[in-house]
């Protein structure tokens, strides 16, 4: 009985197996957000209440210079007691906890927003905010 000729010799198979494995591994870049998509999220979900530059107070405080700012510290903004006393320093990590569920992270905040629920949305928005709010 003739065996079918092997089209892929042993070492070739190993190479293919390695390639397949590499393709299945999570790629490092995927965890980081896409600022271009994040801009769209901001315009749809945040911009009616927040500016990213300057000192225009809308329904919410300006996010100008947000990264490194302490929560509740925009001068003269009428924060809730909850936000005024939360003592959070805004950065990628704290925003990643706040934005998907604002009232879960700062109970009794008066920010009237349910949270970003779609996977990747918060990461994209944070990547956008990191540059858009920089002074
Ligand atoms: C309906 C208006 C509204 C929307 C929509 C909204 N916010 Fe807010 N936001 C507020 C208000 C009001 C506060 C102040 C909350 C408080 O005092 O409890 C606030 C507070 C914040 C703070 C804390 C600021 C500080 O000075 O400590 C951040 C950060 C923030 N919002 C980001 C966002 C982002 C990003 C979005 C979009 C995903 C968003 N907000 C959507 C009204 C809004």
């Amino acid at each position: 009985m003739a065996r079918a000729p092997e089209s892929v010799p042993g070492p070739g198979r190993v190479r293919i197996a390695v390639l397949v494995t590499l393709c299945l591994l999570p790629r490092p870049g995927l965890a980081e957000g896409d600022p271009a998509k994040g801009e769209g999220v901001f315009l749809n979900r945040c911009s009616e209440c927040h500016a990213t530059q300057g000192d225009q107070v809308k329904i919410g405080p300006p996010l100008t210079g947000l990264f490194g700012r302490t929560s509740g510290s925009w001068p003269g903004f009428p924060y809730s007691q909850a936000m005024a006393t939360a003592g959070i320093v805004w950065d990628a990590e704290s925003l990643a906890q706040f934005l998907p569920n604002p009232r879960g992270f700062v109970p009794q905040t008066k920010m009237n927003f349910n949270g970003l629920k779609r996977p990747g949305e918060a990461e994209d928005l944070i990547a956008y905010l990191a540059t858009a709010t920089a002074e």
Side-chain angles (χ1 to χ4, degrees):
M1 233 223 258
R3 283 182 29 197
E6 284 194 61
S7 52
V8 184
R13 275 200 199 146
V14 172
R15 250 176 260 144
I16 288 172
V18 169
L19 273 179
V20 168
T21 310
L22 285 178
C23 290
L24 294 175
L25 286 174
R27 269 154 282 176
L30 288 181
E32 283 160 35
D34 175 346
K37 284 192 201 157
E39 180 171 18
V41 176
F42 185 83
L43 292 175
N44 285 330
R45 314 293 299 276
C46 320
S47 63
E48 65 173 290
C49 295
H50 292 287
T52 53
Q53 288 289 325
D55 54 10
Q56 190 196 354
V57 172
K58 298 185 173 182
I59 295 169
L63 302 182
T64 307
L66 183 65
F67 285 61
R69 237 167 75 179
T70 302
S71 54
S73 64
W74 189 266
F77 185 83
Y79 288 101
S80 63
Q81 181 73 5
M83 189 63 82
T85 58
I88 299 157
V89 176
W90 295 120
D91 57 17
E93 214 170 283
S94 54
L95 288 168
Q97 290 180 273
F98 178 63
L99 296 177
N101 183 9
R103 284 187 208 94
F105 193 54
V106 184
Q108 285 160 34
T109 176
K110 68 177 185 181
M111 172 157 141
N112 190 10
F113 181 70
N114 250 341
L116 298 170
K117 307 295 183 194
R118 263 178 261 150
E121 243 181 347
E123 287 77 6
D124 292 343
L125 176 57
I126 291 165
Y128 168 72
L129 289 175
T131 51
T133 65
E135 284 175 296

